[in-house]
């Protein structure tokens, strides 16, 4: 039951902890104020009913005494004075009187019962006599009389001015309490938002800014533990990158000697070519290790002509006889890191050549849409199944079934993903019409705050 209630609360808008907690506290304070006002009203109504009944009884008794003691000739003048000076109207009761009953509530029942107890069981009440609104009470000059009179008390004498003032002060106190509740909850939600933002930065492979270790003891302890964890991860990542780069760099020297020895061995040309290809493949894998070990690109962002970069990049491939068809605009400038972006596009082209072969053309297209530039690299290789696309973004991951005749360390897409993420962009992978893989790099046309990762495409937006 508790889990169901908690889930129901979490599913209700708004979804943030700040507003959910604030609204729950506001609801609790409002219910407490309503309950307290009802309790106060329950015990205050009898006291007020007795006070009002005493006042009404006194008015009726004084009016009766004045009428009894006044001369018959001066009764009309007395009634006029009472109406003008005290707002009290007196009329004789008639069988044809049109009466409107009083409101049917507890406060009015207590008042009428107390008045009837003091004036007699014959006392009647009305909220309107003919066309006049007010608090009407019937009385008799003598208990034995059968003739009744109606006396009207002004409505302002029955208004609960103190209750209205109390409600006003209660509402003000509720607003102050709600403001305090908001400030209290915000002291918890703001550090949690900062913690969540820093956790996303850690998840993207970057080092988050130092969280302030202030506030409540529990929040400060969480921030301190997170800072320590982030520092340990940063040191571990730096050590890993240093070791990886050192080992990869040291391996290249013996590989160079090995290649030189193979070329000078005098072995048949086909065997030399095969061994040289293996040495080049190992050197390429070591290069990927070096790229991956560098971590986040450190070069600054600068204005870059994207079509010019792609033209310069594809020209060496064309000189090698690779069929690359480029569809490029005349000019498209965006903020980027030139060397890193060049490495990402080169990795996509190398992957396309490796998996599709040098006999199939590779299509590259640069385009711009609202707020972003796109770089499409399409090949005619075996492609990647949709169920494996997300897994292939991780380092040291290879799709053995689809590309089992290829070699590699499984770092190419991971390096591209890291580079594009450092540009606050994204990498989309999908099927190409007619077979093959379509890789699309999305880059913002304007510089964005680091740490803001762009949202991935919806299922319907996956490239075909």
């Amino acid at each position: 039951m508790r889990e169901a209630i908690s889930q129901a609360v979490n599913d209700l808008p708004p979804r943030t902890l700040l507003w959910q907690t604030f609204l729950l506290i506001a609801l609790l304070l409002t219910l407490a104020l309503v309950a307290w006002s009802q309790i106060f009203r329950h015990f205050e109504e009898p006291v007020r009913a007795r006070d009002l009944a005493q006042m009404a009884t006194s008015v009726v008794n004084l009016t009766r005494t004045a009428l009894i003691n006044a001369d018959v000739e001066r009764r009309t003048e007395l009634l006029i004075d009472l109406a003008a000076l005290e707002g009290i109207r007196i009329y004789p009761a008639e069988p044809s009187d049109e009466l409107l009953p009083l409101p049917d509530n507890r406060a009015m029942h207590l008042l009428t019962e107390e008045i009837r107890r003091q004036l007699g069981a014959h006392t009647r009440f009305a909220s309107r006599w003919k066309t006049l609104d007010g608090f009407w009470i019937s009385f008799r000059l003598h208990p034995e009389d059968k003739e009744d009179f109606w006396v009207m008390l002004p409505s302002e004498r029955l208004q609960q001015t103190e209750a209205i003032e109390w409600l006003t002060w209660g509402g003000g106190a509720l607003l102050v309490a709600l403001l305090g509740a908001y400030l209290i909850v915000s002291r918890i939600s703001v550090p949690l938002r900062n913690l969540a933002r820093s956790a996303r930065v850690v998840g993207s492979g970057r080092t988050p800014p130092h969280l302030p270790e202030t506030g409540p003891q529990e929040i400060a302890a969480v921030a301190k533990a997170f800072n320590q964890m982030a520092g340990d991860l940063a040191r571990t990542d730096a050590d890993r990158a240093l070791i990886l780069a050192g080992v990869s760099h040291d391996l290249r020297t013996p590989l160079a000697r090995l290649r030189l020895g193979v070329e000078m061995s005098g072995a048949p040309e086909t065997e030399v070519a095969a061994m040289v290809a293996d040495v080049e493949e190992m050197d390429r894998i070591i290069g990927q290790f070096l790229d991956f070990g560098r971590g986040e690109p450190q070069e600054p962002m600068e204005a870059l002509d994207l079509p010019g970069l792609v033209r310069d990049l594809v020209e060496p491939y064309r000189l090698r006889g690779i069929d690359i068809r480029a569809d490029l605009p005349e000019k498209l400038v965006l903020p980027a890191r030139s060397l890193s972006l060049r490495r990402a596009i080169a990795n996509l082209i190398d992957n396309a050549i490796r998996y599709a072969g040098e006999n199939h053309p590779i299509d590259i297209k640069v385009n711009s849409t609202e707020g972003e530039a796109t770089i499409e690299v399409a090949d005619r290789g075996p492609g990647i199944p949709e169920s494996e696309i997300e897994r292939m973004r991780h380092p040291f991951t290879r799709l053995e079934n689809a590309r089992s005749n290829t070699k590699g360390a499984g770092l190419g897409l991971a390096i591209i993903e890291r580079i594009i993420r450092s540009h606050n962009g994204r990498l989309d992978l999908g099927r190409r019409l007619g077979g093959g893989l379509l890789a699309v790099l999305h880059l913002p046309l304007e510089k964005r705050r680091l740490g803001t990762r762009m949202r991935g495409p919806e299922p319907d937006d996956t490239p075909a």
Side-chain angles (χ1 to χ4, degrees):
M1 183 65 179
R2 183 185 304 172
E3 290 76 6
I5 296 176
S6 177
Q7 184 63 36
V9 172
N10 291 333
D11 291 340
L12 291 176
R15 302 296 299 273
T16 61
L17 173 65
L18 171 63
W19 286 107
Q20 281 191 356
T21 307
F22 174 75
L23 291 179
L24 287 176
I25 294 177
L27 178 62
L28 178 62
L29 290 176
T30 303
L31 293 177
L33 180 63
V34 171
W36 190 57
S37 64
Q38 292 299 319
I39 294 173
F40 176 81
R41 180 180 177 183
H42 179 80
F43 290 100
E44 186 264 351
E45 281 180 347
V47 178
R48 180 171 178 78
R50 287 193 297 268
D51 294 340
L52 291 176
Q54 184 63 41
M55 182 270 295
T57 302
S58 299
V59 170
V60 171
N61 290 332
L62 290 174
T63 302
R64 180 195 294 122
T65 303
L67 290 176
I68 292 175
N69 295 329
D71 295 335
V72 177
E73 295 80 4
R74 300 192 60 184
R75 281 186 177 179
T76 302
E77 183 180 350
L78 176 62
L79 296 179
I80 294 174
D81 290 340
L82 289 174
L85 299 178
E86 301 294 336
I88 300 174
R89 300 189 179 190
I90 303 173
Y91 299 96
E94 298 177 358
S96 61
D97 289 342
E98 297 179 1
L99 304 176
L100 183 65
L102 292 173
D104 187 12
N105 53 54
R106 180 174 180 267
M108 199 58 66
H109 288 167
L110 293 173
L111 177 60
T112 54
E113 289 175 2
E114 184 65 22
I115 294 176
R116 188 175 283 115
R117 185 183 65 81
Q118 298 185 34
L119 296 181
H122 57 78
T123 307
R124 294 181 295 163
F125 303 91
S127 61
R128 177 184 298 170
W129 179 80
K130 293 186 178 179
T131 60
L132 299 177
D133 292 330
F135 186 70
W136 293 89
I137 307 175
S138 71
F139 69 96
R140 296 175 181 177
L141 295 180
H142 296 284
E144 295 80 6
D145 290 347
K146 299 299 182 182
E147 183 181 0
D148 289 340
F149 289 85
W150 286 106
V151 57
M152 186 195 77
L153 301 181
S155 300
E156 56 269 16
R157 296 196 178 187
L158 299 178
Q159 290 180 352
Q160 301 183 7
T161 55
E162 295 179 358
I164 296 176
E165 293 178 359
W166 182 87
L167 289 176
T168 302
W169 282 104
L174 178 61
L175 291 178
V176 173
L178 292 178
L179 177 60
Y182 181 85
L183 295 177
I184 293 173
V185 175
S186 64
R187 292 193 66 198
I188 300 176
S189 64
V190 171
L192 289 180
R193 283 201 301 270
N194 295 335
L195 183 63
R197 189 180 301 113
S198 298
R200 286 193 293 269
V201 173
V202 172
S204 64
R206 297 190 295 272
T207 302
H210 187 80
L211 292 177
E213 300 174 3
T214 58
Q217 182 177 0
E218 292 80 2
I219 297 296
V222 172
K224 183 177 181 180
F226 183 86
N227 290 331
Q228 183 177 355
M229 179 200 69
D232 293 341
L233 289 176
R235 286 188 293 272
T236 302
D237 189 65
D239 294 341
R240 176 194 56 79
L242 182 61
I243 295 173
L244 186 61
V247 171
S248 301
H249 183 271
D250 292 342
L251 285 176
R252 281 189 158 174
T253 300
L255 278 179
R257 290 198 299 265
L258 180 60
R259 176 173 180 173
L260 181 61
V262 169
E263 291 176 343
M264 298 178 63
S265 64
E269 185 176 350
T270 55
E271 295 181 5
V272 171
M275 287 187 288
V276 169
D278 289 339
V279 171
E280 289 179 349
E281 179 66 18
M282 287 188 288
D283 186 71
R284 186 190 64 81
I285 293 175
I286 292 174
Q288 285 191 339
F289 273 99
L290 284 173
D291 290 340
F292 188 76
R294 291 189 183 102
E296 289 290 335
Q298 300 300 320
E299 61 177 311
M301 302 278 281
E302 58 183 5
L304 176 67
D305 181 19
L306 184 58
L309 181 143
V310 175
R311 289 190 192 98
D312 295 341
L313 185 61
V314 301
E315 189 61 27
Y317 291 97
R318 285 174 173 171
L319 294 177
R320 288 167 45 191
I322 306 299
D323 185 7
I324 297 182
R325 299 179 297 196
D327 181 6
L328 308 175
E330 187 64 27
K331 191 171 185 179
L332 179 59
V333 179
L334 76 165
R337 299 179 174 91
S338 177
L339 294 178
S340 301
L341 187 58
R342 178 186 292 269
R343 187 181 303 118
I345 300 174
N347 278 354
L348 285 179
I349 296 176
D350 290 340
N351 284 346
I353 296 173
R354 187 175 306 111
Y355 298 130
E358 298 184 0
N359 298 326
H360 294 87
I362 298 172
D363 295 313
I364 299 179
K365 182 178 180 181
V366 174
N367 198 3
S368 63
T369 58
E370 184 177 356
E372 68 176 13
T374 58
I375 307 169
E376 299 180 3
V377 179
D379 62 43
R380 289 300 181 184
I384 301 176
E386 290 187 6
S387 59
E388 299 288 334
I389 287 178
E390 287 303 317
R391 188 177 69 88
M392 294 301 297
R393 299 175 187 269
H394 299 160
F396 307 106
T397 301
R398 297 180 58 202
L399 191 63
E400 298 295 339
N401 294 335
R403 304 184 176 196
S404 57
N405 60 342
T406 62
K407 302 177 181 179
L411 289 173
L413 291 180
I415 294 173
I416 299 170
E417 178 83 9
R418 175 182 289 178
I419 293 174
I420 298 304
R421 190 172 55 203
S422 71
H423 287 77
N424 288 319
R426 73 176 188 272
L427 167 65
D428 287 345
L429 301 172
R431 297 186 307 273
R432 184 185 183 187
L433 287 176
L437 178 68
L438 176 62
V440 184
L441 303 180
H442 297 261
L443 298 170
L445 290 177
E446 296 182 359
K447 188 174 182 180
R448 298 179 180 175
R449 181 174 60 85
L450 291 179
T452 304
R453 184 173 182 181
M454 296 180 63
R455 184 186 175 196
E458 298 294 336
D460 294 341
D461 296 333
T462 304

